Amino acid sequence: MNTPAGPDGAKTGTPVPDEVPGVDVPDRRGRTGLDRAGRDLDGNPRVRVREVELLSSSWYVLRRTTFDYLRTDGSWSTQERETYDRGNGATVLLYDAERATVLLTRQFRYPVYVNGHPDGLLLETAAGLLDDDDPETAIRREAAEETGYDIGEVRHVFDVYMSPGSVTERLHFFAAPYTADRRTSEGGGLADDGEDIEVVELPFAKALAMIGSGEIADAKTVMLLQWAALSGPFAGRDR
């Protein structure tokens, strides 16, 4: 809190709140008004947003929202939720139907390492945030950066909220074929962003089995591999 000074330099005694980065003044990414999200929602008459507080905008955005909720018994309850907004993203399963292989990545993920994963190195489908791109443009960019492949036609599979209890992210799922002649670089991600990504090609049958063994434990990857087996490019094949 700042206490303003009068004309003679003396404090007036009326404190004024400090300007909050991300609310009153730009945060490190140049954003303001981050406490406005959700205040104008009107799609559900059983929800009335009362207050939105910005808790952090160091990079992604953490908010605490207070709202009234009309319960099924007709009574209103006041509830409070924290939401983590990292933007929406996209992911793609790269597959070679003729050779029955898939192309994955392996990279270190600190959040899983601190939550019991042995080394934090996860096998995953290529993925990334949309930033200012549409989902298909974003996943073409991410596939090229991470795997080194310039992918051709992509198939939209489905969109999923990955952790709806606290994270706002909606992830757009795609699948696309790859062939050796479409590789334009070594991939590996962007070193300036701290990425150090290994490209891993696996027989599809082995990748599917690695779900059961726990060697593949990333949700988006499990979902795309199971989709590929049930109704995607490997549906109906003997494995």
Side-chain angles (χ1 to χ4, degrees), residues 56-77:
S56 174
S57 64
S58 178
W59 191 252
Y60 304 130
V61 181
L62 180 64
R63 300 178 178 93
R64 178 166 53 225
T65 299
T66 304
F67 60 92
D68 295 328
Y69 181 75
L70 180 61
R71 300 172 59 88
T72 54
D73 63 6
S75 64
W76 285 91
S77 66

Side-chain angles (χ1 to χ4, degrees), residues 3 10 17 25 43 49 60 79-80 89 95 99 106-107 118 124 128 140 154 181 186 194 201 203 207-208 218 223 239:
T3 302
V25 296
V49 175
Y60 304 130
Q79 302 187 19
E80 189 176 84
Y95 64 89
R99 297 171 54 239
R106 181 185 283 117
Q107 59 182 307
E124 306 178 36
R140 290 182 183 278
V154 299
D181 61 341
E186 293 299 313
E201 185 177 63
L208 203 61
D218 171 66
M223 294 165 71
R239 287 182 288 277

Side-chain angles (χ1 to χ4, degrees), residues 160-179:
V160 173
Y161 291 95
M162 296 298 289
S163 186
S166 57
V167 182
T168 63
E169 181 183 25
R170 182 171 67 247
L171 194 61
H172 303 270
F173 286 70
F174 295 91
Y178 76 94
T179 54

Side-chain angles (χ1 to χ4, degrees), residues 3-229:
T3 302
D8 59 356
K11 299 294 185 180
T12 64
T14 304
V16 177
D18 294 331
E19 292 184 318
V20 178
V23 175
D24 312 294
V25 296
D27 64 7
R28 61 184 290 189
R29 300 182 70 179
R31 301 169 296 189
T32 58
L34 294 177
D35 62 328
R36 305 305 303 172
R39 292 181 183 269
D40 58 351
L41 291 174
D42 59 6
N44 187 341
R46 296 173 61 182
V47 179
R48 299 172 181 171
V49 175
R50 298 175 59 180
E51 182 181 1
V52 181
E53 180 185 0
L54 179 66
L55 300 180
S56 174
S57 64
S58 178
W59 191 252
Y60 304 130
V61 181
L62 180 64
R63 300 178 178 93
R64 178 166 53 225
T65 299
T66 304
F67 60 92
D68 295 328
Y69 181 75
L70 180 61
R71 300 172 59 88
T72 54
D73 63 6
S75 64
W76 285 91
S77 66
T78 300
Q79 302 187 19
E80 189 176 84
R81 295 289 185 275
E82 290 186 4
T83 57
Y84 190 57
D85 182 357
R86 59 189 303 272
N88 295 324
T91 186
V92 62
L93 176 67
L94 300 181
Y95 64 89
D96 185 330
E98 183 176 342
R99 297 171 54 239
T101 58
V102 292
L103 203 64
L104 303 178
T105 65
R106 181 185 283 117
Q107 59 182 307
F108 177 71
R109 299 293 200 182
Y110 180 76
V112 304
Y113 185 47
V114 78
N115 193 30
H117 191 278
D119 57 16
L121 293 169
L122 284 190
L123 277 168
E124 306 178 36
T125 49
L129 295 178
L130 302 186
D131 295 327
D132 295 324
D133 291 327
D134 63 88
E136 183 174 329
T137 299
I139 201 52
R140 290 182 183 278
R141 179 194 70 225
E142 292 297 328
E145 290 176 359
E146 294 190 2
T147 70
Y149 282 81
D150 177 20
I151 58 177
E153 183 178 357
V154 299
R155 174 180 177 181
H156 177 251
V157 179
F158 42 66
D159 300 331
V160 173
Y161 291 95
M162 296 298 289
S163 186
S166 57
V167 182
T168 63
E169 181 183 25
R170 182 171 67 247
L171 194 61
H172 303 270
F173 286 70
F174 295 91
Y178 76 94
T179 54
D181 61 341
R182 302 284 302 208
R183 191 168 197 181
T184 59
S185 73
E186 293 299 313
L190 300 179
D192 290 345
D193 289 346
E195 294 179 331
D196 182 22
I197 298 172
E198 177 187 358
V199 182
V200 180
E201 185 177 63
L202 292 171
F204 176 71
K206 180 177 181 179
L208 203 61
M210 291 170 76
I211 297 173
S213 68
E215 296 169 272
I216 290 180
D218 171 66
K220 63 183 180 295
T221 308
V222 171
M223 294 165 71
L224 277 172
L225 289 173
Q226 292 183 339
W227 164 83

